[in-house]
Amino acid sequence: MKILLFGKDGQVGWELQRALAPLGELHALGRSEADFADLDALRCRVLDERPDVIVNAAAYTAVDRAETDEAVAHRINALAPGVLAQAAGACSAWIVHYSTDFVFGSRGGSGVGGAHVETDTVAPLSVYGRTKLDGEERIRASGARHLVLRTSWVYGRHGANFPKTILRLAKERRQIEVVADQVGTPTSAWLLADLTALALYRIAMERGGAETLSGTYHVTASGGTSWHTYARHVVELALAQGARLTLSPERIKPVSAAEWGAAAARPPDSLLDTGKFRAGFGLALPAWRDDVNRLVTELVAGGNP
Ligand code: NDP
């Protein structure tokens, strides 16, 4: 299997370099090798390489900045995935693409525990959410065989993210405020990468019979939490493991999203029902705390914090 990976230096892309390598011939590209701003070059790159699978982990992920940078966010999150999907179709390749809980905007979906299922009505509240939804739709409309994997609250060893920020603030501050009225599922970049590789392996083993697996899926760890409870969990665990912090868990104060006042509105309810993915690929999804605990343990053991 020849795989062309875009966005190799992001949180998920970094882990995909490891997870996809055993599947075959992997060509991993970062922004300097394939800038999504140049759509013609992107198309030519795919048509020249003629991969069996394209995996797109590149995206414009600066959610608040996107509010005032819509044209660029649209090019990276909507036009570029559309170009990749059309080129994938021309090569008879599969395309794997990541999307987001930010395509939803309402509280509560029609899935288990009120989580959103894939067919629930989308209603993005932000420029980022709208551009990501546009990208999804272009892939579905391209006719290429695809896995559009919607995920949420991603963190990894590589790159900046929520648990790392909380641990940094916990060394510098005596009190912080964290949003308590938004719920979702923290999902590790390495879990996403491993699940992607397992899904592609399943597709490869099915050979001609894999067409029915083409589609949109919700893929996160299991369970859910608020940002506030998540932050407390990270600090409690770090303290239990001997980290020297200035912040105690009870000094993490809950605030509403309205009080916090981010530039881009976030969905109040980001829980995604993963039943379709688990049933379709025969996979189980670990509890969100498992991988968060792993990251915090590694950071504390590494002296950070
Ligand atoms: P990151 O922001 O860590 O990585 C995104 C990558 O895209 C970076 O390597 C970046 O390059 C690259 N990129 C940005 N602009 C361009 C461009 N013009 N040309 C080429 N590459 C570019 O994202 P994540 O790994 O966290 O996210 C992976 C996917 O998951 C994305 O599709 C995202 O929308 C989705 N997702 C992420 C969530 C999260 O909480 N992070 C939640 C839900 C979904 P550079 O390193 O040069 O900046």
Side-chain angles (χ1 to χ4, degrees):
M1 186 190 298
K2 181 174 178 181
I3 305 172
L4 194 52
L5 167 65
F6 293 97
K8 74 177 176 68
D9 298 314
Q11 296 194 90
V12 177
W14 183 259
E15 294 291 342
L16 283 166
Q17 290 188 60
R18 169 192 57 76
L20 297 177
L23 291 177
E25 183 186 341
L26 175 64
H27 292 204
L29 308 176
R31 191 198 294 247
S32 57
E33 295 93 6
D35 189 339
F36 278 24
D38 188 342
L39 299 175
D40 287 337
L42 196 59
R43 183 182 298 107
C44 289
R45 185 75 192 231
V46 175
L47 297 177
D48 283 352
E49 298 238 13
R50 302 199 72 79
D52 301 303
V53 179
I54 294 168
V55 180
N56 177 32
Y60 187 111
T61 55
V63 172
D64 291 318
R65 196 167 73 221
E67 293 296 305
T68 53
D69 197 15
E70 182 159 4
V72 177
H74 181 251
R75 178 168 280 259
I76 308 309
N77 290 346
L79 299 182
V83 164
L84 290 179
Q86 284 191 343
C91 305
S92 300
W94 280 77
I95 177 166
V96 181
H97 176 78
Y98 302 92
S99 191
T100 170
D101 51 301
F102 279 51
V103 300
F104 295 111
S106 64
R107 193 171 278 286
S110 60
V112 175
H116 296 285
V117 298
E118 289 80 356
T119 48
D120 279 348
T121 304
V122 287
L125 302 172
S126 62
V127 167
Y128 170 74
R130 284 196 294 278
T131 60
K132 291 293 293 183
L133 177 59
D134 193 337
E136 284 188 5
E137 287 170 343
R138 285 168 194 266
I139 291 170
R140 285 189 285 268
S142 71
R145 292 169 298 171
H146 60 271
L147 300 180
V148 171
L149 306 179
R150 288 188 189 141
T151 189
S152 69
W153 297 21
V154 175
Y155 62 91
R157 299 182 179 95
H158 187 76
N161 51 54
F162 183 81
K164 287 187 185 176
T165 300
I166 292 297
L167 286 177
R168 177 175 53 77
L169 293 175
K171 277 203 302 188
E172 300 169 0
R173 309 254 185 102
R174 295 193 177 279
Q175 180 168 312
I176 61 170
E177 294 178 338
V178 179
V179 171
D181 60 353
Q182 289 169 346
V183 294
T185 306
T187 302
S188 73
W190 63 89
L191 176 63
L192 277 175
D194 289 346
L195 293 170
T196 300
L198 288 164
L200 286 174
Y201 185 67
R202 169 78 191 277
I203 284 169
M205 290 301 103
E206 295 271 332
R207 297 194 163 79
E211 312 294 320
T212 55
L213 291 170
S214 177
T216 300
Y217 295 88
H218 290 173
V219 186
T220 66
S222 294
T225 184
S226 70
W227 290 113
H228 178 257
T229 306
Y230 180 13
R232 279 192 67 129
H233 177 74
V234 166
V235 170
E236 281 165 4
L237 185 64
L239 286 169
Q241 295 185 347
R244 283 190 285 179
L245 307 177
T246 53
L247 183 71
S248 58
E250 56 278 7
R251 301 302 295 272
I252 303 175
K253 301 295 178 193
V255 293
S256 68
E259 287 169 314
W260 181 258
R266 270 74 172 164
D269 189 340
S270 288
L271 295 172
L272 301 178
D273 186 316
T274 58
K276 179 182 172 187
F277 181 81
R278 285 182 283 115
F281 291 94
L283 293 167
L285 299 170
W288 69 265
R289 281 190 176 81
D290 293 0
D291 282 351
V292 169
N293 293 0
R294 184 179 291 271
L295 179 69
V296 172
T297 301
E298 288 175 4
L299 291 172
V300 173
N304 181 13

